Amino acid sequence: MKFNTKVIHEGQGVDPVTLAHVSPIYQTSTYILPDYAAAVEANKPGDPGFHYSRTKHPSEYELSCKLAALELTEAAVSCASGLGAISLASMNLLSSGDHFIFGDVVYGCTHTLFTKVLPKFGVEHTIVDMKDPEAVRQALRPNTKMVYIETPSNPTLKCVDIRAIADIAHSQEGITVVTDNTFATPFNTNPAELGSDVVVHSLTKYLCGHGTVVAGVVCGTKEFVQSCRAPYLQTLGSTIDPFAAWLVMQGLKTFAVRMERHCENAMKVAEFLEGHPKVERVYYPGLASHPSHEIAKKQMRSFGAMMSADIKGGMEGAATLMDNVRIFGLATSLGTVDSLIQHSPVMSHAGMTPEARHAVEIYDNQVRISVGLEDVEDLIEDLDQALSLIRHA
Ligand SMILES: *Cc1c(COP(=O)(O)O)cnc(C)c1O
């Protein structure tokens, strides 16, 4: 199957009881066992049935099978949020005394999990600029267990070479490579094809696409996903609820066509911003001026619909833009059908110190833009009129 067909048909069946065209929402916490012998089987690892919705339920399972098919992995497990998925994968992979490596630009709360929560459990980390894969080799230690990649990264769209980093990580035994593929989505990149062992997503973004749920997924081998379900999901309890899973399934039906338009619109918006006198710099991997353009061309089918821009006139200039757009919503999320704008320093990356932010090019006059599916002429006109209100020499 090619991509569009896969998005619609893979990993999903007809409801066996009613033959409903669209799978029902299995709104139940528990499942009746036919007999005592089934109860004895029920808790064995890898049991294919449904017993209690904290570890697996049909709405979750159908969604996970589809996502595994889109990410070219054996299996997947869906979670209550993207961070739920990232916590699940990292708790599974790391024990006290272990070390892991992650990139210097990652989603704000991922940074918080890695630098404030995991250290409490005796897990050490090294933050590296992954634009040079050799930096990952330099950071390897005998106790390194996970290398965590986010590409393109939030919010500066820095891209890293998944293949090169995975090869370096795998040169040492016992290291699992995890990639957050939220920004690229499987429409643009399949990290598993490039050597990443595990792929995580915030389904809240493009995969759902409509801003109606918070959800996440961990994709990987059958064995890894099974161990994520039990004991980790079983005990951490970051389970996706049936209605949320069902909503993501509905959103996914239009995922491929949405992505086409998202990426097409984003390229035009990025070009417009790059030529605008009130804009200092645009961060979009589709632009030849972006330092990651070559890597992006190598591992992305198109360049996604996220970008950041440094606005002239400092923080005040950025605020004028955000306060005066009419179509763009001022909101922290991304990947929805409607266009959004936010201020990374005080919103998504408020958890980092100003020094840490500036060191990785998250500047105070920087806005992050999620380009939606509106007519691109309207989006450009909206940005233009708001930018024109900035008073700057
Ligand atoms: C939003 C996001 C997350 C976190 O996902 P939630 O669903 O909000 O928990 C993780 N990584 C990236 C790149 C994101 O954009």
Side-chain angles (χ1 to χ4, degrees):
M1 276 192 241
K2 292 196 179 140
F3 195 74
N4 291 281
T5 315
K6 248 170 117 166
V7 164
I8 293 173
H9 292 283
E10 265 278 6
Q12 111 191 44
V14 171
D15 176 54
V17 177
T18 61
L19 305 185
H21 177 208
V22 174
S23 296
I25 304 167
Y26 289 85
Q27 195 67 44
T28 180
S29 58
T30 196
Y31 291 82
I32 301 292
L33 294 154
D35 52 32
Y36 179 71
V40 174
E41 288 305 303
N43 276 316
K44 296 196 175 152
D47 177 80
F50 301 105
H51 308 297
Y52 189 60
S53 293
R54 192 185 329 112
T55 50
K56 191 164 73 168
H57 54 78
S59 306
E60 180 275 324
Y61 193 68
E62 181 180 64
L63 171 63
S64 296
C65 289
K66 187 183 277 296
L67 294 167
L70 297 185
E71 277 300 8
L72 314 176
T73 60
E74 283 176 7
V77 51
S78 300
C79 299
S81 69
L83 248 307
I86 295 165
S87 309
L88 187 64
S90 46
M91 293 281 194
N92 188 341
L93 292 169
L94 300 166
S95 305
S96 153
D98 288 345
H99 168 256
F100 72 105
I101 298 167
F102 66 99
D104 58 358
V105 190
V106 293
Y107 182 73
C109 289
T110 303
H111 190 270
T112 307
L113 170 71
F114 289 171
T115 58
K116 299 209 167 76
V117 179
L118 292 183
K120 280 179 48 183
F121 300 97
V123 178
E124 300 178 325
H125 63 259
T126 307
I127 302 176
V128 305
D129 178 355
M130 290 189 174
K131 129 178 129 255
D132 175 18
E134 284 307 312
V136 174
R137 196 190 306 279
Q138 302 301 317
L140 289 177
R141 296 189 198 163
N143 59 339
T144 304
K145 290 288 151 57
M146 175 171 92
V147 172
Y148 186 94
I149 297 170
E150 182 178 310
T151 183
S153 65
N154 185 358
T156 58
L157 287 298
K158 175 152 111 176
C159 302
V160 304
D161 189 331
I162 300 172
R163 167 61 69 196
I165 291 171
D167 285 349
I168 289 169
H170 291 147
S171 69
Q172 183 174 313
E173 193 132 353
I175 298 183
T176 301
V177 177
V178 179
T179 303
D180 182 337
N181 199 30
T182 301
F183 269 34
T185 83
F187 179 82
N188 288 317
T189 306
N190 286 121
E193 231 176 15
L194 302 169
S196 184
D197 305 293
V198 174
V199 181
V200 293
H201 277 282
S202 168
L203 301 176
T204 313
K205 318 294 168 54
Y206 294 102
L207 290 158
C208 173
H210 298 73
T212 46
V213 299
V214 174
V217 71
V218 178
C219 306
T221 62
K222 260 190 191 148
E223 191 188 3
F224 182 70
V225 167
Q226 181 52 43
S227 67
C228 281
R229 287 189 189 278
Y232 297 98
L233 187 60
Q234 193 178 41
T235 54
L236 296 173
S238 55
T239 313
I240 191 170
D241 83 85
F243 185 45
W246 185 87
L247 278 172
V248 180
M249 281 296 289
Q250 306 320 305
L252 271 171
K253 291 176 184 181
T254 56
F255 168 64
V257 285
R258 280 190 285 110
M259 286 313 293
E260 254 171 53
R261 180 64 67 83
H262 272 300
C263 298
E264 204 181 293
N265 278 0
M267 191 69 212
K268 291 181 185 153
V269 170
E271 282 168 348
F272 161 77
L273 288 174
E274 187 162 54
H276 201 283
K278 299 284 172 68
V279 177
E280 223 166 70
R281 179 174 167 194
V282 181
Y283 305 72
Y284 180 66
L287 293 175
S289 61
H290 194 263
S292 298
H293 184 58
E294 290 308 314
I295 297 167
K297 271 204 298 199
K298 200 171 93 174
Q299 70 185 21
M300 298 180 77
R301 295 177 196 106
S302 57
F303 301 105
M306 291 304 301
M307 66 192 67
S308 286
D310 296 340
I311 306 303
K312 286 198 182 154
M315 216 174 236
E316 209 180 306
T320 302
L321 169 62
M322 289 181 285
D323 277 340
N324 289 286
V325 279
R326 297 173 191 145
I327 296 174
F328 285 80
L330 175 57
T332 195
S333 197
L334 60 103
T336 53
V337 293
D338 47 333
S339 296
L340 301 173
I341 188 166
Q342 71 131 23
H343 190 235
S344 304
V346 308
M347 294 171 74
S348 62
H349 290 69
M352 290 170 83
T353 63
E355 296 73 32
R357 280 198 302 266
H358 298 162
V360 294
E361 301 190 309
I362 305 170
Y363 299 117
D364 295 342
N365 61 335
Q366 195 173 92
V367 296
R368 191 191 69 191
I369 291 174
S370 169
V371 178
L373 308 183
E374 300 92 338
D375 287 303
V376 71
E377 297 78 8
D378 290 335
L379 296 179
I380 288 173
E381 201 180 296
D382 191 28
L383 291 167
D384 195 31
Q385 63 78 24
L387 285 166
S388 75
L389 300 173
I390 296 170
R391 270 171 296 151
H392 176 77

